[in-house]
Amino acid sequence: MLTDEYIKRVYDQVVARDGDQPEFLQAVREVFETLQPVVEKHPEYEKAGVLERIVEPERTIKFRVAWVDDEGKVQVNRGYRIQFNSAIGPYKGGLRFHPTVTESVVKFLGFEQILKNSLTTLPMGGGKGGSDFNPKGKSDAEVMRFCQAFMTELSRHIGQFTDVPAGDINVGGREIGYLFGQYKRIRDEYSGVLTGKGLEFGGSLARTEATGYGVCYYTQEALRVLRNDSFEGKTVVISGSGNVATYAAQKAEQLGAKVVTVSDSNGYIYDPNGINVEVVKQIKEVERGRLSEYAKRCDHKTVEYHEGAGVWVTPCDIAMPCATQNEVHIEDAKNLVANGCKILTEGANMPTTLEATQYLQQNGVAFFPGKAANAGGVATSGLEMSQNSERLSWTFEEVDDLSLIHISEPTRPRLIS
Ligand code: NDP
Ligand code: 2IT
C-alpha cells in the first residue's frame, strides 16, 4: 500500500505517463513501497524532486535494426538503449536479445540497474538496452550480421565515459565479441566500451561466473548473518540454465548444497542426486541445445524431465529463480512455502511478482531481492572497466575477492528491527 502523499503523487504521475508499461510500473511500485519510511524521514527529497527524477530516464533511444538473413532476405528488428541515470557514473547495464523485449521491459531493467549499481559502491550509473531479435535457430553469421547492424546505430550513443553496455539474456561472449568488433571498426578506438568481453581482448577473469557466484555469496552471507547457518546439506531449486543459473548451481554445489533442478523455456530437469553442472554447460553453453537432452547425457538413473512445467513445485530449502522476470507467481510462492522453502534469492531481475513476494515474506521465507543479490555480475563489470582503464589484467582470485567485497559489504543482509 502506498500511503505517503508525495510517493502516491509521483506514482500516479508515472501511471498517467507510462500506464502501458506494466513491468516498469511493477518495478517502480516495488521500490516506492519500500521507500516510504525514507521519504518521511527526509522531506528535503520532495523539495528536490528526487523521486520524480529517478523515474524519468535521462534519455530513451529507440532504433531500427535492419540486417540480412542467410537466405538474403532483409529482416527488421527494433533496438533500444535507455540511459536512465548518470548521477554517479557512465550509464551501465546489459543488452537483452529476446522476442519479449519491449520498451517497458528495458525500462524496468534500467530502473533497477540504477539502484543495483549504486549498491556495489562502484561509480556506475544505470542503463539497459536490447532488441526483440530472437537468436534461437539463427546461424553464427546471422547473429554476427544482426550484432553489427545493432552496433552501427548504438555506437553513436555509447563510449567508455558515456555508456558501457554488457550482456543479459541471450547476449554472452559471442555477441559481445561481434558488438565490440563493430564498435572498434566504426570508431577506430580500442577502449573499454563494453564489458563481458573475451579474455583475449580486454575481458576480465571471473566475469562469466560472477553473477551466479555472487548470488551464492550473497545467500551464504545471509545464512551466516541471519541464521548462523550455511549451504551445507541444503536442497536448492534453481530455474533457468543460462549464464546466471549455471554458475549459481556450480557455486552452490561447491559450498555443500545439492541443486536438484534447472530449467529452460521448454521444461525442467529434476535430478535428486544433484544436477551435473558440466552436462548442463555442455548442452546449453557449448551446443546451444535444449535441456531435454540432459537425461540422455547424464548417467544418473533417477533424472526426470518435465516438459512445459515450472520448477517451483519441487521441495527445497532454498529457491533461486535465475531465468527471467515474473517467473514466480502467487501459486508458486504457495507451493514453495508448503514444501518447506525458507529462503528465496533472486538471481534474475524481478523474477518474483509483488503478490508472491508479499506472500513469501508473510510466511517466514527470507526474501533477497535481485538488486542486491545479483549485483556480482555488474560489480565485476565495474572491475573489468578498472582493468581496461589501467590496461592491466588481474588474476581470477583478485577479481573474485574484490567482487565479493563489493557485493557483500554494502549489501550485507541485515535484520531490520
Ligand atoms: P541466459 O540467456 O544465459 O539464460 C537465460 C535462461 O532463462 C535460459 O535458460 C532461458 O531458456 C531462460 N529463459 C529466458 N527467458 C525466458 C522466458 N521468457 N521464459 C522461460 N525461460 C526463459 O541469460 P542470463 O543467465 O544472463 O540471465 C538470466 C536472468 O539473470 C535475467 O533476468 C537477467 O536479467 C539476470 N541477470 C543477468 C546478469 C548477467 O550478468 N548475465 C546479471 C544480473 C542479472 P531458453 O534457453 O529456453 O531461452
Ligand atoms: O542485470 C545486470 O546486472 C546485468 N545484466 C549485467 C550488467 C553489466 O553491466 O554487467
Side-chain angles (χ1 to χ4, degrees), residues 30 33 312 328-344 346 352-368:
E30 188 179 272
E33 285 192 1
W312 311 120
V328 181
H329 296 270
I330 182 71
E331 304 75 40
D332 305 314
K334 287 182 180 167
N335 281 326
L336 285 167
V337 169
N339 287 325
C341 176
K342 291 282 177 286
I343 290 197
L344 184 140
E346 293 188 323
T352 323
T353 65
L354 262 176
E355 208 185 358
T357 305
Q358 281 156 5
Y359 185 86
L360 293 168
Q361 288 174 325
Q362 285 157 7
N363 285 277
V365 176
F367 174 80
F368 302 127

Side-chain angles (χ1 to χ4, degrees), residues 105 144 355 370:
V105 167
M144 181 186 76
E355 208 185 358

Side-chain angles (χ1 to χ4, degrees), residues 96 136 168 170 207 211 241-244 265 284 290 349:
R96 177 180 292 190
K136 264 199 203 110
D168 195 81
N170 287 331
R207 177 61 187 90
T211 313
S241 51
N243 175 260
V244 180
S265 51
K284 297 294 290 186
R290 308 309 302 158
N349 289 309

